[in-house]
């Protein structure tokens, strides 16, 4: 059963289509003078175009459906830990994004990336066009979801809350029945076109380098976060980090920070400096929404892919907006597998202007890195819990527990 679950997991499915897609693209490149190759490429490009239109249409709906209902669920039954947990989580993820962006600006522009587009092959036109415009942009969807969520809570609009919760169910159904089955095919076809054009062979070393760089970056961020948390709380952080090493190993095995909630709770219970009563409420929240490792990876990979495919890293102002939206969306998708990457579809295409190839590369690279991102997420929950303990020391929680 465990082996079957691993083999059907989303990252494994992404990798399972990525390899055949790349091989098919290399085959088309080698046989480009043959007649059947042109027809096959027309079919590939057209199918990718149709899938791209459907996915772009779904992206803002996912943001609205998940974020608005998440705001309602958090505001419905708040605990004393709710507000500080959300603040700590948000600051932690913004810090991870800033650290990753600084790392990216220091490293990526210095990498030898050819900008000669003439050295790559052009794709044939699609057989037909079927434009499916999205109902709203990604940024509009995010603002609408936040306003709807808070507005419904402030006015206690019962029917609107019920409607948004029902819309969340519809959104999750659309994701499981349409988006998740379509994404692997879309990624495989996009990687096929990248391999045919020559991008894959030329830039494979840079993508592997990004995967290598991000692992020590995780380690540095974990140490930095624990050091800051220990200083803020006035406690020794390294004992807590030691207790969270088994949690890190379990996250590496399961590829999920949410699945290790039980082990994270056990690790937190062993940590004497942590406030035991508040931690019981906080740890489930942290495991659901604290995805600083995923945010760190996505920011760095987005900058690398932008440099490879589009010739330059995004401007600092653009990365600030992207990071803020990414952290906001991550908090708004509690417990959703690959939630950070799923809701970032809109921000990748809307803010960073990624095309089909950029989105496909992001998903493929993230799938290779998924276990390490989950391990970073889970390990950093200990630092977040220590931050919460420091927050409790500075505020009177005795009458609210």
């Amino acid at each position: 059963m465990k082996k079957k679950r691993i083999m059907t997991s989303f990252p494994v499915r992404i990798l399972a289509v990525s390899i055949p897609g790349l091989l098919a693209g290399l085959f088309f490149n080698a046989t480009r003078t043959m007649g059947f190759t042109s027809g096959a490429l027309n079919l590939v490009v057209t199918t990718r175009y149709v899938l791209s239109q459907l996915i772009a249409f779904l992206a803002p709906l996912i943001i609205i459906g998940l974020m608005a209902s998440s705001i309602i669920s958090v505001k419905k039954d708040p605990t004393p830990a709710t507000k500080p947990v959300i603040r700590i989580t948000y600051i932690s993820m913004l810090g991870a994004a800033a650290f990753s962006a600084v790392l990216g600006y220091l490293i990526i522009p210095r990498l030898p990336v050819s900008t000669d587009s003439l050295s790559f092959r052009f794709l044939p036109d699609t057989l037909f066009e079927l434009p499916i415009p999205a109902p709203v942009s990604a940024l509009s969807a995010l603002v609408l979801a936040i306003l709807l969520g808070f507005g419904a809570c402030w006015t206690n609009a019962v029917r609107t809350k019920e409607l948004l919760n029902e819309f969340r169910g519809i959104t999750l159904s659309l994701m499981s029945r349409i988006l998740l089955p379509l994404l692997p095919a879309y990624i495989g076809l996009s990687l096929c076109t990248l391999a045919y054009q020559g991008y894959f062979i030329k830039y494979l070393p840079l993508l592997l380098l990004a995967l290598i760089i991000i692992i020590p970056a995780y380690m540095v961020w974990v140490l930095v976060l624990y050091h800051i948390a220990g200083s803020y709380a006035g406690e020794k952080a390294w004992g807590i980090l030691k207790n969270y090493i088994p949690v890190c190993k379990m996250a590496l095995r399961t590829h999920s920070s949410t699945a290790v909630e039980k082990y994270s709770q056990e690790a937190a219970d062993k940590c004497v400096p942590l406030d035991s009563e508040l931690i019981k409420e906080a740890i489930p929240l942290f495991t659901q929404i604290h995805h600083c490792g995923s945010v760190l990876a996505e920011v760095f990979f987005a900058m690398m892919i932008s440099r490879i495919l589009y010739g330059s890293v995004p401007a600092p102002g653009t990365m600030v907006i992207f990071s803020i939206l990414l952290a906001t969306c991550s908090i708004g998708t509690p417990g959703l597998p690959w939630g950070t990457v799923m809701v970032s579809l809109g921000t990748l295409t809307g803010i960073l202007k990624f095309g089909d190839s950029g989105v496909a590369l992001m998903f493929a690279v993230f799938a290779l890195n998924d276990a390490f991102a989950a391990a970073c997420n889970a390990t950093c929950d200990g630092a977040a819990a220590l931050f919460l303990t420091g927050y409790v020391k500075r505020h009177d929680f005795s009458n609210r527990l």
Side-chain angles (χ1 to χ4, degrees), residues 197-340:
Q197 290 179 284
Y199 284 100
F200 175 68
I201 293 296
K202 192 175 184 70
Y203 294 131
L204 178 61
L206 291 177
L207 293 174
L208 294 177
L209 179 62
L211 289 168
I212 293 171
I213 291 173
I214 205 68
I215 295 175
Y218 286 140
M219 299 177 183
V220 172
W221 176 247
V222 168
L223 294 176
V224 168
L225 195 62
Y226 269 89
H227 175 72
I228 297 174
S231 300
Y232 177 75
E235 302 284 353
K236 294 182 179 179
W238 310 123
I240 298 173
L241 177 56
K242 182 179 179 181
N243 287 330
Y244 264 82
I245 290 176
V247 182
C248 175
K249 293 179 180 177
M250 185 58 65
L252 280 170
R253 290 172 56 189
T254 61
H255 291 226
S256 171
S257 54
T258 306
V260 299
E261 178 183 326
K262 171 186 170 185
Y263 304 97
S264 184
Q265 188 72 65
E266 291 174 355
D269 290 339
K270 296 176 184 178
C271 301
V272 177
L274 300 182
D275 187 297
S276 57
E277 292 188 31
L278 204 56
I279 288 304
K280 289 180 182 178
E281 299 175 358
I283 288 298
L285 275 172
F286 279 133
T287 56
Q288 296 280 331
I289 65 175
H290 188 218
H291 303 142
C292 59
S294 300
V295 169
L296 190 156
E298 185 157 356
V299 168
F300 188 80
F301 291 153
M303 295 176 73
M304 177 65 86
I305 292 170
S306 181
R307 178 80 172 97
I308 290 174
L309 295 182
Y310 310 117
S312 63
V313 294
T318 303
M319 289 308 302
V320 168
I321 296 173
F322 175 73
S323 300
I324 292 173
L325 294 182
L326 186 61
T328 304
C329 291
S330 182
I331 290 178
T333 55
L336 181 68
W338 270 44
T340 304

Side-chain angles (χ1 to χ4, degrees), residues 22 24 51 103 127-128 147 210 216 228 289-290 295 307:
L22 291 169
L51 295 180
L103 189 67
L127 296 174
F128 58 86
L147 293 179
I228 297 174
I289 65 175
H290 188 218
V295 169
R307 178 80 172 97

Side-chain angles (χ1 to χ4, degrees), residues 73-91:
S73 63
V74 169
K75 299 284 285 183
K76 179 183 178 182
D77 230 352
T79 69
T82 301
K83 287 185 179 180
V85 163
I86 292 176
R87 289 172 189 158
I88 291 167
T89 299
Y90 197 66
I91 292 171

Side-chain angles (χ1 to χ4, degrees), residues 115-139:
T115 57
D116 181 15
S117 60
L118 296 178
S119 60
F120 303 110
R121 305 195 180 282
F122 293 98
L123 291 173
D125 295 329
T126 57
L127 296 174
F128 58 86
E129 290 191 1
L130 184 67
I132 309 175
V136 293
S137 67
L139 186 57

Side-chain angles (χ1 to χ4, degrees), residues 13-46:
R13 287 161 58 191
I14 294 294
L15 295 177
V17 299
S18 297
I19 296 173
L22 291 169
L23 292 176
L26 294 174
F27 174 75
F28 289 148
N29 192 318
T31 60
R32 57 187 177 275
T33 57
M34 298 183 180
F36 73 89
T37 299
S38 177
L41 277 174
N42 277 122
L43 184 60
V44 168
V45 171
T46 303

Side-chain angles (χ1 to χ4, degrees), residues 378-396:
T379 308
C380 287
D381 286 346
L386 187 55
F387 269 116
L388 182 62
T389 299
Y391 183 90
V392 170
K393 288 181 179 180
R394 290 166 168 78
H395 300 78
D396 182 15

